[in-house]
Amino acid sequence: MGASPVELAPRATDSNIGSAQKPVTLSNFLSSLIPVALVAGIFFLLFLFLRRTQTRQYAPRTFVGSLRPDQRSPNLPNGLFNWFKDFFAIPDSFVLNHHSLDGFLMLRFLKIITVICLVGCFITWPVLLPVNATGGGTGKQFDLLSFSNVIKANKNRYYAHALISCIFFAFIMYMITREHIYFINLRQAYLGSPMYANRISSRTVLFASVPDEFLDEARIRRLFGPTVKNMWIATDCKELEELVKEREKIAMKLEGAETKLILLANKNHTKSQKKAGASQDAEASAVNQTTDADAEGTSGSVASRWVPQKKRPTHRLKFLIGKKVDTIDWCRSELQTLIPKIEALQATHKAGEPKYINSVFVEFIDQVSAQAGYQVLTHHQALHMSPRWIGVTPEEVIWSNLRIKWWERVVRVIATISFVVALVIFWSIPVAFVGALSNLPALEEKLPFLKFINKAPSAILGLITGLLPSILLAVLMALLPIILRLMAKLGGAPSLSRVELTVQNSYFFFQVIQVFLVTTLSSAAAASVSQIIKSPASTPSLLSQDLPKASNFYIAYFVLQGLTLSSGALLQIVGLIVSKILGKLLDSTPRKMYKRWTNLAGLGWGTVLPIYTNMAVIAVTYSCIAPLVLGFATVGLYLLYLANRYNLLFVNNANIDTRGLIYPRALQQMTVGVYLAQICLIGLFGINAAAGPLVIQVIFLIFCILYHVSLNSAFNPLMKFLPRTLDIEEEESRLLMEGGHPGAATSAGANGDKSTNEKEVVNETPVPATSRTAAPHAKPNFFLKWLRADKYTDYRTLRRMVPADYPEIVYDPEAERHAYYNPAISTATPLLWIPRDPLGVSRQEVLHTSKAIPISDEGAVVDAKNKIVWDRDVEPPIYEPHQSF
């Protein structure tokens, strides 16, 4: 989903960014809006038509087999417009219970920032628009309604901006507080429920930087006592990982070669039959000639009837100069040597014989014990057995980072943060060079060695100045998320979810600096530079006039982004092209076809959320300087909410689970907008010598900072840890759901198991059986519910959102025993999957290849057109049920 950052980021090379240099008129705005609206309309119409037939692209979550039935979404009507009603009837909480906590909270974030902008319109517009419009300035069109239209002689009007800003920013800080309360209770309700608490990851703590003397199972058990159930001490798997990687590479090469041989044999057979003019009966007779004796004969003898030896699949052992070998024979020989060697090494790792590295996974008997082990200070020396993480699933572990020592982690963090800061600050240099390519004459004056480009033909010159800058900018912006994720991994992040959380911070930093501040300041400076050169003393007054005018770009920006990104996210034109065209060209084996069909696109939370957060920051920053921005932001953000809502319900999957931690980070990042807005107002009040509004704004800024510090101090522990009282709350909620009463209960683990130290619950009041479905309190009105989030969105209220009929999590004993082994240790030899053909080539290949590696030709066939077809209604031989670790 998600659009490219290139589409989202207003760049300094964009001619629109200098819009502060002249007033943006309504006609200018409409001339920009109408073409974009037409393109967005065409995209949306294409989506409406295509979704009726291309269900794999536009509604895979309704049927794809890789999802359990409880994870699938309901089918929508197949008409052009009749599905709207059913779509809006599905609550957002459906995403919570059938997709992920992260997906639900991303939708809630988009909804919350849309509401903030809408309420901001109601707060600012009735007061600030008339104040600005009658401010005595010479502004016209949109400039008439901005801060710049209030002249210094009317500085008392700035009291309106100061007071309204205090009201609006106080509302934002309250909303952030309220959402923290909501998030904490929702997260506790979900993590404390059996659907999460029964998972191995909820009971397992990863300790990093473990000293050598504690890389011992007996000492770990002494440290944490009888609550330890299992443990996995990480081992040095470098050699084994390389061998397993080689095995996978050779196995897939063999699978591809076998499939190629089968298709080639059938193709040649069909050609020979057409050439001979044989009837279908003769063809059937020829097919039946492949007997059991034929299949058991010399390897490749069946295929050799139609494929000469020199036409069989071959490859070179070294690029270009290596010896050419028969791919199938070579792969079989290599695997017969490699697989036993890998299995022997795997056995030694499972026995704990190889070298240990300084990380340990400790599984406790229940989530309560795991939280106790997670929260306790485990070692007497600084940075030893620390940091530690809970809730890390095996499939998202970055195994190469488990070997990092404590001092190495410190160095890595400092180095990667420094690199990211430098990258963000100096990102404008390569972008400026790319933009300069569009104006070669000016660039050649600075760099004379580029004059040879002018000698190129006009067509090529046009490509260099027109198309090349756009392509290079797209490449640059596509590389940025890759670089940021690489830095997060090099910094020592132990899991993919932690990588996304780190990238969420760094990418937001980039968005604010490069997309917002550089654009705004360069736009304001560009509008004033000539006058500043003539009269340097006028700098403050000129900037006070032109900085608010820089908002002109963002007035159109929000609606244009909302239209283009939402329609583009719905149509998914790139994904459609890849699946329909490249899929047919590249998917040469049943495995590749199956994976393309069943693997749903995931979301990179670290690069999706910061884009929307930055849009909210821009809207808040300009809320009291150019209030009109809030209206356009409301429209743009709501369109993005609707597009993301559809994709989360019907298209995308959650491949990475941060357990909701993306949400409080996004809320915290929103405060940047509040601080930037207040700093801008303080500067503008100071430039215009408005002492009263300046004092008000400074006092309120100090208040916001102190409030923010207190907020974090109160909430941070609750966002990181699960409290002990949650165990009692969960047990009482369970009894209420069963129609019992909590008074007679003992404290039991959130996973339903009794904890080691049983304690009586104080509350002895019987609860009637009707309470099993009743809310814990009377239904409040809207205002009371909004005002008292602590009461009306408390744990027991939100606990009712957790599905009671969630399927019980049962682990295969072997999978549970090997859960936190490096995949190189626990991964079995892959099963090859080739299509069954009417000539019987696959039959012989399965018989001979199975002596080296498991192989099957079930579930896929070669049809009359010599195309591979796999049965989507039958479970393929390579299917592996997903374990919810």
Side-chain angles (χ1 to χ4, degrees):
M1 196 207 66
S4 161
V6 180
E7 299 172 295
L8 288 160
R11 303 305 315 155
T13 56
D14 195 327
S15 59
N16 291 327
I17 294 176
S19 59
Q21 299 180 38
K22 55 185 179 181
V24 175
T25 63
L26 184 60
S27 60
N28 295 146
F29 172 70
L30 292 177
S31 65
S32 300
L33 176 63
I34 290 173
V36 174
L38 285 174
V39 172
I42 292 170
F43 276 27
F44 185 63
L45 284 175
L46 286 173
F47 162 73
L48 290 177
F49 281 100
L50 289 173
R51 67 167 292 276
R52 302 171 67 188
T53 56
Q54 306 299 320
T55 52
R56 172 57 187 86
Q57 184 69 20
Y58 298 108
R61 291 191 65 87
T62 60
F63 68 90
V64 75
S66 57
L67 298 178
R68 299 190 308 269
D70 62 283
Q71 294 177 314
R72 295 175 190 169
S73 298
N75 285 305
L76 294 177
N78 206 33
L80 281 178
F81 305 106
N82 62 346
W83 58 274
F84 288 175
K85 182 180 178 181
D86 290 357
F87 169 68
F88 285 105
I90 301 174
D92 285 358
S93 58
F94 189 90
V95 176
L96 181 65
N97 293 325
H98 298 79
H99 190 282
S100 66
L101 184 59
D102 290 327
F104 170 75
L105 290 172
M106 188 184 83
L107 276 187
R108 185 172 180 88
F109 180 72
L110 281 169
K111 190 160 58 175
I112 289 298
I113 59 179
T114 303
V115 168
I116 286 175
C117 291
L118 180 62
V119 173
C121 294
F122 293 137
I123 293 174
T124 60
W125 284 12
V127 178
L128 296 186
L129 292 185
V131 167
N132 293 339
T134 59
T138 57
K140 296 179 181 180
Q141 300 284 337
F142 291 148
D143 288 343
L144 178 71
L145 302 175
S146 76
F147 186 98
S148 62
N149 199 53
V150 181
I151 61 175
K152 194 171 183 179
N154 292 331
K155 61 184 180 182
N156 285 337
R157 288 174 174 261
Y158 295 143
Y159 279 104
H161 297 83
L163 295 175
I164 290 298
S165 70
C166 290
I167 295 172
F168 182 47
F169 299 153
F171 167 75
I172 294 174
M173 295 302 287
Y174 175 74
M175 287 294 289
I176 291 172
T177 304
R178 186 183 186 280
E179 288 307 300
H180 272 83
I181 295 172
Y182 180 89
F183 164 74
I184 288 168
N185 287 324
L186 179 66
R187 185 169 183 267
Q188 290 177 354
Y190 261 73
L191 298 190
S193 68
M195 71 180 290
Y196 270 100
N198 284 346
R199 299 182 183 184
I200 290 180
S201 59
S202 297
R203 308 192 303 264
T204 303
V205 182
L206 167 58
F207 294 92
S209 303
V210 179
D212 292 341
E213 61 268 22
F214 278 93
L215 296 176
D216 177 79
E217 182 171 348
R219 297 202 72 174
I220 293 291
R221 290 188 180 277
R222 280 184 59 193
L223 183 63
F224 293 108
T227 58
V228 174
K229 181 179 180 182
N230 289 314
M231 73 178 64
W232 299 265
I233 303 175
T235 56
D236 186 354
C237 296
K238 186 175 181 180
E239 180 187 0
L240 181 57
E241 284 175 335
E242 291 175 355
L243 291 174
V244 169
K245 185 178 179 180
E246 183 67 15
R247 181 190 67 185
E248 300 297 311
K249 180 181 176 182
I250 295 173
M252 294 306 104
K253 182 185 285 290
L254 176 58
E255 184 178 84
E258 296 277 20
T259 304
K260 183 178 179 180
L261 179 67
I262 292 167
L263 293 176
L264 187 59
N266 281 266
K267 180 181 178 181
N268 291 344
H269 173 263
T270 302
K271 283 183 178 180
S272 66
Q273 290 295 317
K274 288 181 178 179
K275 188 175 181 180
S279 64
Q280 290 185 357
D281 291 339
E283 183 176 351
S285 176
V287 169
N288 291 332
Q289 291 176 7
T290 304
T291 63
D292 291 343
D294 293 331
E296 294 174 359
T298 305
S299 176
S301 60
V302 176
S304 65
R305 299 173 184 173
W306 300 280
V307 181
Q309 181 66 32
K310 63 181 180 179
K311 295 293 185 180
R312 284 172 60 87
T314 60
H315 71 281
R316 292 188 181 275
L317 297 181
K318 291 184 180 180
F319 183 66
L320 293 180
I321 60 173
K323 178 184 176 182
K324 183 181 284 188
V325 296
D326 183 285
T327 300
I328 294 176
D329 292 340
W330 181 85
C331 288
R332 288 174 179 170
S333 175
E334 288 295 308
L335 289 172
Q336 284 177 329
T337 303
L338 195 58
I339 290 174
K341 185 176 181 181
I342 290 173
E343 290 174 348
L345 267 177
Q346 288 177 330
T348 61
H349 278 272
K350 291 175 182 177
E353 296 175 10
K355 177 186 174 183
Y356 288 137
I357 56 178
N358 57 333
S359 290
V360 179
F361 295 91
V362 181
E363 182 193 359
F364 293 84
I365 58 174
D366 54 34
Q367 185 170 239
V368 176
S369 302
Q371 283 291 325
Y374 176 52
Q375 296 175 33
V376 72
L377 186 61
T378 51
H379 202 276
H380 59 281
Q381 290 184 326
L383 302 179
H384 286 62
M385 298 190 75
S386 176
R388 52 194 179 275
W389 302 271
I390 193 170
V392 178
T393 57
E395 57 265 24
E396 68 172 11
V397 175
I398 302 174
W399 298 95
S400 59
N401 281 352
L402 298 187
R403 52 157 292 277
I404 299 174
K405 299 184 181 298
W406 67 267
W407 58 266
E408 186 182 352
R409 187 179 301 278
V410 173
V411 173
R412 282 171 174 249
V413 169
I414 294 173
T416 53
I417 290 177
S418 301
F419 178 84
V420 169
V421 170
L423 179 72
V424 171
I425 292 175
F426 296 107
W427 186 257
S428 295
I429 295 175
V431 171
F433 174 77
V434 168
L437 289 177
S438 61
N439 188 6
L440 272 179
L443 186 61
E444 288 170 0
E445 290 181 7
K446 304 291 184 183
L447 303 172
F449 66 88
L450 293 177
K451 287 185 177 181
F452 75 93
I453 298 178
N454 269 333
K455 299 177 183 179
S458 58
I460 296 177
L461 197 62
L463 287 175
I464 293 174
T465 58
L467 186 60
L468 185 60
S470 299
I471 294 175
L472 290 178
L473 183 60
V475 171
L476 274 175
M477 297 303 294
L479 283 175
L480 181 64
I482 297 173
I483 295 172
L484 294 180
R485 286 191 171 92
L486 177 61
M487 289 299 104
K489 290 179 181 179
L490 292 177
S495 65
L496 297 178
S497 60
R498 293 290 160 178
V499 166
E500 291 303 309
L501 292 171
T502 302
V503 172
Q504 185 181 2
N505 284 339
S506 56
Y507 197 52
F508 173 74
F509 178 46
F510 170 84
Q511 289 280 318
V512 171
I513 298 297
Q514 288 292 336
V515 177
F516 179 32
L517 294 183
V518 169
T519 298
T520 300
L521 295 176
S522 61
S523 179
S528 311
V529 65
S530 60
Q531 293 172 299
I532 289 174
I533 293 173
K534 294 178 183 177
S535 177
S538 64
T539 300
S541 61
L542 288 173
L543 287 177
S544 69
Q545 294 174 12
D546 290 325
L547 185 62
K549 291 180 182 178
S551 65
N552 289 335
F553 173 80
Y554 295 106
I555 288 175
Y557 169 78
F558 281 106
V559 175
L560 300 184
Q561 294 295 77
L563 287 171
T564 56
L565 297 184
S566 59
S567 59
L570 288 174
L571 182 59
Q572 304 173 71
I573 187 67
V574 175
L576 187 63
I577 292 172
V578 168
S579 63
K580 293 300 177 184
I581 299 176
L582 293 183
K584 291 183 178 180
L585 295 175
L586 301 178
D587 296 347
S588 56
T589 66
R591 182 188 304 273
K592 291 180 180 178
M593 297 171 67
Y594 170 73
K595 285 188 174 182
R596 188 177 297 278
W597 181 264
T598 57
N599 289 353
L600 301 184
L603 289 172
W605 307 115
T607 49
V608 172
L609 259 294
I611 293 169
Y612 304 141
T613 310
N614 185 53
M615 294 176 74
V617 167
I618 294 170
V620 171
T621 302
Y622 278 115
S623 59
C624 296
I625 296 173
L628 210 56
V629 168
L630 288 172
F632 292 99
T634 301
V635 175
L637 290 170
Y638 184 67
L639 291 174
L640 290 170
Y641 161 75
L642 292 178
N644 279 279
R645 189 176 191 271
Y646 181 88
N647 283 337
L648 286 171
L649 283 170
F650 298 102
V651 180
N652 295 123
N653 199 21
N655 299 328
I656 297 175
D657 182 14
T658 73
R659 300 195 171 196
L661 291 178
I662 55 171
Y663 191 55
R665 292 202 179 204
L667 292 174
Q668 291 286 327
Q669 289 166 355
M670 265 201 68
T671 60
V672 172
V674 176
Y675 294 136
L676 285 176
Q678 292 184 83
I679 291 169
C680 287
L681 286 173
I682 288 171
L684 291 171
F685 292 152
I687 290 171
N688 289 281
L694 177 64
V695 171
I696 292 173
Q697 205 65 60
V698 169
I699 292 173
F700 191 72
L701 174 61
I702 294 171
F703 166 77
C704 285
I705 293 172
L706 294 176
Y707 180 81
H708 193 189
V709 171
S710 301
L711 178 76
N712 290 341
S713 177
F715 287 157
N716 279 349
L718 292 172
M719 290 188 291
K720 186 177 182 181
F721 306 118
L722 293 181
R724 293 298 297 268
T725 54
L726 184 63
D727 189 39
I728 298 174
E729 290 280 351
E730 175 60 25
E731 177 63 13
E732 292 182 353
S733 295
R734 184 180 66 81
L735 288 171
L736 288 174
M737 294 289 289
E738 294 173 355
H741 64 87
T746 57
S747 109
N751 58 359
D753 298 329
K754 290 185 179 181
S755 59
T756 306
N757 299 318
E758 296 188 344
K759 300 181 288 292
E760 294 184 357
V761 178
V762 176
N763 184 6
E764 297 287 344
T765 306
V767 179
T770 54
S771 296
R772 73 177 71 179
T773 56
H777 39 64
K779 186 176 180 179
N781 59 49
F782 173 81
F783 180 75
L784 192 59
K785 182 179 179 180
W786 176 77
L787 196 62
R788 291 295 308 277
D790 60 316
K791 180 178 180 181
Y792 296 107
T793 57
D794 62 349
Y795 174 85
R796 291 197 179 183
T797 302
L798 299 182
R799 178 65 178 83
R800 297 169 68 240
M801 296 174 64
V802 182
D805 57 347
Y806 190 84
E808 183 182 359
I809 298 175
V810 179
Y811 293 107
D812 176 76
E814 185 176 357
E816 185 174 9
R817 186 167 60 253
H818 300 160
Y820 284 95
Y821 278 135
N822 187 309
I825 300 174
S826 57
T827 302
T829 302
L831 170 69
L832 304 191
W833 186 22
I834 60 175
R836 179 172 295 176
D837 67 301
L839 300 181
V841 176
S842 67
R843 181 178 172 188
Q844 186 182 59
E845 295 304 310
V846 166
L847 188 63
H848 288 277
T849 300
S850 60
K851 298 173 183 177
I853 188 172
I855 185 172
S856 172
D857 65 348
E858 297 178 356
V861 297
V862 177
D863 65 9
K865 296 180 180 179
N866 204 37
K867 302 292 183 183
I868 300 173
V869 179
W870 66 278
D871 191 346
R872 293 168 183 165
D873 297 324
V874 177
E875 190 175 280
I878 62 171
Y879 172 78
E880 295 179 358
H882 177 70
Q883 290 276 0
S884 298
F885 286 110

